[in-house]
Amino acid sequence: MENDVLERDGMETELKQDKKKKWRGYLFEALIYISLCIICAVVIPNYVAQRAKVSGPSMENTLFDGDNVLVDKISYRFHNPKRFDVVVFYPYEGDDEHFVKRVIGLPGETIQIIGPDIYINGELLEEKYGKDPIHYQGIAANPLTLGDDEFFLMGDNREVSFDSRYEDIGAVHKRAIDGKAILRMWPIKDFGTFK
């Protein structure tokens, strides 16, 4: 009889320990799922990659109004944007409106637009991205020297693009550049990379 009581007590203790292990397992799983949700909802879009929507015709014929692009937000933490990269940037500090444009001028360079031509440090820039000839030179009608962390950005549709030629935008600081557009995600028929 004493053995039966001891056996029952041992079984009850074992059951209690099993329940504790199960609850610890459930809690551990829940913490993993919550962590993954936080990573997917906060960390990835803010620090790794995110979707951006092209608004308007300023990047035609490369990107079109309504296209969705995947933005790489890591690369520019290790190096500066390169000439002709398509970037997403925030032209107005504290505003969440983003623009999609192409890098034309790099830090320290002098940009000047004479007629339909772009000159970098006095040399004609050979490029094939502009949809139409440039008719508005804006602030780049006179030589414009970029600072150590400034970039000159233009849309491919030069006739309608609101870009670094305008005083409201001007040279764009690196901190305003959110990342590099690397992939067209939508519309699905046009899914893929672009230049």
Side-chain angles (χ1 to χ4, degrees), residues 82-155:
K82 294 179 174 64
R83 189 177 333 278
F84 304 130
D85 283 357
V86 175
V87 299
V88 173
F89 75 102
Y90 293 92
Y92 309 110
E93 203 167 313
D95 192 350
D96 63 351
E97 179 184 18
H98 67 266
F99 284 15
V100 180
K101 304 292 180 200
R102 189 175 298 278
V103 176
I104 299 296
L106 302 173
E109 294 181 334
T110 299
I111 313 297
Q112 186 173 15
I113 301 174
I114 301 172
D117 298 319
I118 303 169
Y119 290 84
I120 307 283
N121 297 330
E123 299 209 7
L124 180 65
L125 176 66
E126 297 292 333
E127 57 107 20
K128 60 185 184 324
Y129 298 105
K131 177 182 173 193
D132 296 311
I134 299 169
H135 290 105
Y136 177 72
Q137 293 79 24
I139 63 172
N142 296 312
L144 173 69
T145 301
L146 301 172
D148 288 341
D149 72 335
E150 293 180 332
F151 296 83
F152 194 84
L153 309 178
M154 293 177 73

Side-chain angles (χ1 to χ4, degrees), residues 4 9 14 23 25 50 59 64 72 74 77 86 92-93 95 98 101 111 139 156 183-184:
D4 287 345
D9 287 345
E14 241 179 79
W23 277 108
Q50 99 178 51
M59 280 302 291
F64 297 86
D72 164 17
I74 294 178
R77 295 184 191 282
V86 175
Y92 309 110
E93 203 167 313
D95 192 350
H98 67 266
K101 304 292 180 200
I111 313 297
I139 63 172
D156 289 354
L183 182 74
R184 181 186 288 117

Side-chain angles (χ1 to χ4, degrees), residues 5 12 44 61 64 67 76 78 117 125 149 155 171 185:
V5 171
E12 283 177 13
I44 291 174
N61 285 335
F64 297 86
D67 283 0
Y76 294 156
F78 302 104
D117 298 319
L125 176 66
D149 72 335
M185 298 166 51

